[in-house]
Amino acid sequence: MSKVKIDINHVSKLANLNLTKEEKEKFEKQLSSVLTYISQLNEIETEGVEPIGHITGMVNVLREDEPRPSLSQEDSLLNASKKQNGFFQVDSIFEE
Amino acid sequence: MVREETEFVNWEAVIGLEVHIELSTKSKMFCGCSTDYFTAKPNTHTCPVCLGLPGAMPKANKLAIKYTQLIGLALNCKTRTGSKFDRKNYFYPDLAKGFQISQYDLPFSENGHMFITTNGRTKKIGITRAHLEEDTGKLIHTKLNGTRLTLVDFNRSGVPLIEIVTEPDISSSLEAKTYARNLQQVVRYLKVSDADMEKGSMRIEPNVSLRKVTKGQESMVKELPPYKVELKNINSFKFAEKAIEYEIKRQRKILESGKMPKQETRGWNETKQETVSQRSKEEAHDYRYFPEPDLPPFAFEEKYFKSISEEIPELPDEKRKRFTKDYSLAENDARTLTEGVELAKFFEEAAGAYKKDPKIVANWITGEVLRRLNEENKTISDSPLLPASLAELLFLIDKGEITKANGKEILANMIKTGDDPRATVIKLKVTGISDIKLEEIVIQTISRNPKAIEDYKKGKEASLMFLIGQVQRITKGQAKPEKVREFVLRKLSEAD
């Protein structure tokens, strides 16, 4: 079984995580071994098998267009690490 | 194969449009929060689902899906019997969950088209797809005590949003504007969105690039340029037009200097009248789409599509054609009258009451009625004016009870009050001259001007004009000139 390679810099960027050099080395190895394990599935013959995105068998789970009460502003912001006048506050997303 | 040296002819703009339209459902796409957020305080229309709290389960809004399919059908799309939602993964502060629920490979509608007419030429614009997704939160970029920061309001987060993507079939800013206007009109006819650019319920993102056209290849199928520039921050049709024009010029300059424009996103800056590169910290596009695990797929029957397509009203194109045919209207008038469903309906009702000549009704509506409404920044639905009242006003003018000039004044008042024309005539004391009264004045005038009568009989045409002028002076211009002329001539011949 060939080892699956992983670009830890790309993956950590996509996950919005700042990793130290040690963490990068550690996670690169761990993620790679997870993917290698999963890749065993590629060995199964799937010719003629319908692709499936759901296994519950449910279809058309829908709701009518009826509004319901929302949370209060206070409750909405309860878990926010930073807030400002009823808004969630985050670092500026535009560069100087 | 030996090819002749290709001869450069021109640069051709290659434009595709991505239009986002918020659907006018009462509740959000995947939760029951109200979509009536426009003037609401920040973060008062949210719940665990649209805030992306762990464990919250989305459930799809049936009506929003139907609206998307209706738009698809109206744009001649194929509607899918099997469809699903997918996760589009990216980090951005306007997205609480770290992903947006959207559609990837099985959009509700795809492969449609729309016809647009610019400068008398009709062109088919391909619609690649119309898919449904959730709107994001609203970001406000500000500065606090010298530090730049971004504030987030999630009221808009999760509002059903349809994305309609065209093929790169558009080749000028005018075509882009025309397409966008047509699309807005169709959506409004369907009553699935107010599609208001200023309020942000309709957003246009053109992508623009230029390709070289060489001699002999003008009408051939051409390759797409190896780059494209996406334009954002456009909140009016005018801005869209200006941004595209600016971008064509900018890219042309770069290409003519032998370089290649950068593939990037640029925002329209109205103050500077230019597009500006938007360098944000957004990560390179690697969305890692996968089927949304929290939302089971959908299966629709042809029977269902047939039943919803019956709900599609007569669309702007058809209506316009019918107006030119059934009412013998000029193309321009038909276009103006079918701009909105309400105005078209008003015209048809007025023309139904004033059967004599629909063109006269059309002239009054496209002229006086719209002019007065525009002055007050209103639409026909804002005015209490009834179609039957307009028809009655036209009858009064025909009968000579009021002049056309007075009719305009009376109409202006009717548009404000909704009063019927007779009541308005009395209220404004602008009564024209009744036939009996006019006859009286004509007889008086003739008896007072024997000299003019004599001159007229000698063939002096100016005397007739003099007499008409005298009558007009006494009536203070309230009688129809043709009518005065007719009365004077009749009395003169009777005096023989």
Side-chain angles (χ1 to χ4, degrees):
Chain A
M1 195 172 8
S2 63
K3 235 180 146 162
V4 180
K5 276 203 152 179
I6 190 160
D7 178 352
I8 192 68
N9 287 322
H10 183 60
V11 172
S12 61
K13 219 170 181 180
L14 287 177
N16 202 26
L17 294 170
N18 284 320
L19 301 179
T20 62
K21 201 167 164 260
E22 291 71 34
E23 283 171 329
K24 278 184 186 172
E25 275 166 23
K26 187 176 169 189
F27 294 145
E28 182 163 29
K29 264 189 211 133
Q30 289 184 343
L31 284 170
S32 170
S33 94
V34 169
L35 285 180
T36 306
Y37 177 67
I38 298 281
S39 72
Q40 288 182 66
L41 287 172
N42 292 336
E43 290 161 24
I44 299 167
E45 182 56 62
T46 55
E47 190 71 30
V49 178
E50 285 262 328
I52 194 165
H54 267 262
I55 52 157
T56 59
M58 288 193 284
V59 283
N60 299 346
V61 179
L62 296 160
R63 40 172 278 273
E64 297 299 323
D65 180 35
E66 281 155 10
R68 289 212 210 147
S70 298
L71 295 176
S72 67
Q73 190 187 63
E74 200 188 359
D75 285 347
S76 286
L77 294 163
L78 213 54
N79 294 324
S81 52
K82 277 187 273 182
K83 50 196 144 187
Q84 190 66 243
N85 296 326
F87 291 93
F88 290 83
Q89 183 190 323
V90 296
D91 294 338
S92 174
I93 53 160
F94 280 110
E95 284 164 5
E96 293 287 336
Chain B
M1 196 172 81
V2 182
R3 270 249 205 105
E4 274 179 52
E5 186 80 356
T6 47
E7 197 180 325
F8 173 79
V9 176
N10 208 347
W11 293 103
E12 180 185 56
V14 181
I15 304 166
L17 243 54
E18 229 177 67
V19 178
H20 283 93
I21 294 170
E22 275 186 356
L23 299 176
S24 58
T25 53
K26 289 194 184 76
S27 67
K28 289 189 181 179
M29 186 60 230
F30 300 113
C31 62
C33 287
S34 161
T35 54
D36 189 16
Y37 67 86
F38 190 60
T39 52
K41 290 206 174 94
N43 299 302
T44 51
H45 288 50
T46 65
C47 74
V49 172
C50 55
L51 283 174
L53 300 188
M57 278 293 275
K59 200 169 174 188
N61 186 329
K62 195 173 163 185
L63 188 64
I65 294 176
K66 185 174 131 184
Y67 281 177
T68 308
Q69 290 160 332
L70 281 177
I71 292 174
L73 290 168
L75 297 176
N76 309 295
C77 287
K78 244 193 81 53
T79 43
R80 279 191 172 275
T81 48
S83 188
K84 66 174 166 70
F85 283 106
D86 299 277
R87 278 192 191 181
K88 179 182 182 181
N89 298 278
Y90 65 95
F91 269 106
Y92 209 61
D94 63 5
L95 206 59
K97 299 191 289 290
F99 60 85
Q100 180 189 31
I101 303 179
S102 180
Q103 295 193 285
Y104 183 54
D105 54 340
L106 305 175
F108 286 122
S109 311
E110 60 194 339
N111 298 331
H113 63 261
M114 180 196 267
F115 287 100
I116 60 163
T117 305
T118 50
N119 301 325
R121 218 178 111 247
T122 299
K123 183 171 174 179
K124 188 174 173 178
I125 306 295
I127 309 278
T128 317
R129 55 191 279 149
H131 76 244
L132 186 54
E133 57 189 32
E134 53 179 341
D135 207 347
T136 59
K138 203 173 160 65
L139 299 180
I140 296 161
H141 310 289
T142 181
K143 219 169 194 177
L144 191 74
N145 306 325
T147 318
R148 290 157 64 95
L149 48 89
T150 296
L151 302 175
V152 197
D153 171 12
F154 285 110
N155 282 346
R156 197 180 68 181
S157 164
V159 170
L161 191 69
I162 182 171
E163 179 179 317
I164 302 159
V165 184
T166 73
E167 293 292 306
D169 292 343
I170 297 164
S171 36
S172 71
S173 59
L174 178 65
E175 283 182 12
K177 193 176 84 172
T178 307
Y179 163 79
R181 268 192 195 283
N182 283 9
L183 182 61
Q184 180 188 53
Q185 215 184 358
V186 167
V187 167
R188 286 181 175 173
Y189 264 60
L190 292 171
K191 295 189 173 19
V192 297
S193 174
D194 62 355
D196 187 324
M197 298 263 301
E198 276 171 41
K199 283 195 330 205
S201 53
M202 173 167 176
R203 292 161 234 159
I204 302 178
E205 283 159 27
N207 53 69
V208 181
S209 50
L210 297 185
R211 78 178 143 212
K212 205 183 237 175
V213 182
T214 47
K215 200 160 188 182
Q217 295 191 309
E218 290 93 335
S219 57
M220 283 169 64
V221 178
K222 294 157 222 147
E223 263 178 50
L224 290 179
Y227 75 96
K228 66 183 175 189
V229 173
E230 199 175 304
L231 301 177
K232 291 203 173 189
N233 195 29
I234 287 167
N235 41 29
S236 75
F237 292 113
K238 187 119 211 135
F239 287 9
E241 209 176 8
K242 287 199 276 187
I244 292 171
E245 261 156 41
Y246 177 86
E247 199 49 33
I248 291 172
K249 278 193 204 121
R250 188 188 72 87
Q251 292 179 19
R252 190 183 177 132
K253 223 181 237 171
I254 297 172
L255 288 161
E256 279 171 353
S257 73
K259 294 191 197 116
M260 183 65 70
K262 222 168 86 188
Q263 169 123 356
E264 61 178 344
T265 300
R266 298 177 70 88
W268 174 248
N269 186 316
E270 176 64 12
T271 338
K272 289 188 185 163
Q273 293 286 306
E274 59 184 41
T275 62
V276 181
S277 183
Q278 283 191 337
R279 275 175 305 157
S280 76
K281 288 176 189 166
E282 198 177 346
E283 172 56 25
H285 294 186
D286 183 357
Y287 294 133
R288 295 150 293 144
Y289 282 99
F290 63 86
E292 170 56 58
D294 289 341
L295 293 160
F298 305 99
F300 304 99
E301 292 176 32
E302 290 298 342
K303 198 170 68 190
Y304 161 77
F305 290 131
K306 208 171 163 249
S307 95
I308 66 166
S309 60
E310 275 159 22
E311 290 177 36
I312 296 178
E314 182 182 39
L315 293 171
D317 268 355
E318 291 167 66
K319 205 184 272 289
R320 200 186 59 242
K321 279 179 197 147
R322 183 168 61 80
F323 277 22
T324 50
K325 197 167 146 270
D326 292 3
Y327 299 107
S328 316
L329 297 185
E331 179 73 20
N332 259 352
D333 285 345
R335 196 172 286 278
T336 308
L337 290 172
T338 54
E339 218 140 81
V341 199
E342 287 76 21
L343 190 66
K345 192 168 160 237
F346 185 93
F347 163 75
E348 291 210 85
E349 282 176 21
Y354 182 83
K355 291 195 178 66
K356 204 179 105 192
D357 187 354
K359 275 189 268 186
I360 293 178
V361 180
N363 285 343
W364 275 81
I365 296 177
T366 58
E368 277 309 293
V369 175
L370 286 185
R371 190 174 68 80
R372 298 284 179 177
L373 288 172
N374 286 343
E375 271 173 16
E376 291 173 48
N377 222 348
K378 283 183 173 165
T379 69
I380 194 75
S381 336
D382 302 324
S383 167
L385 178 69
L386 297 173
S389 300
L390 175 64
E392 203 189 334
L393 179 74
L394 300 184
F395 283 129
L396 291 183
I397 294 170
D398 285 347
K399 280 194 273 179
E401 291 195 24
I402 49 172
T403 61
K404 202 169 162 186
N406 280 341
K408 288 181 181 177
E409 195 186 323
I410 291 161
L411 178 69
N413 190 275
M414 287 162 61
I415 288 171
K416 283 199 188 106
T417 61
D419 288 344
D420 73 59
R422 279 183 194 281
T424 313
V425 162
I426 294 163
K427 191 172 65 187
L428 297 184
K429 301 191 178 79
V430 288
T431 311
I433 290 287
S434 71
D435 287 5
I436 299 164
K437 180 84 184 154
L438 181 62
E439 194 170 1
E440 209 176 281
I441 293 169
V442 170
I443 293 168
Q444 267 179 24
T445 309
I446 288 175
S447 65
R448 276 180 203 155
N449 295 281
K451 174 89 170 55
I453 316 275
E454 239 168 76
D455 289 348
Y456 173 74
K457 281 179 179 160
K458 282 180 196 151
K460 211 170 158 192
E461 197 66 19
S463 303
L464 176 63
M465 296 318 292
F466 169 77
L467 287 169
I468 292 172
Q470 288 298 304
V471 174
Q472 287 287 49
R473 221 187 54 183
I474 297 166
T475 65
K476 295 193 180 80
Q478 288 181 9
K480 263 182 150 181
E482 315 87 88
K483 196 153 197 167
V484 176
R485 189 185 165 85
E486 181 197 318
F487 272 55
V488 172
L489 282 174
R490 194 164 71 220
K491 287 295 151 198
L492 284 175
S493 64
E494 279 170 13
D496 268 340

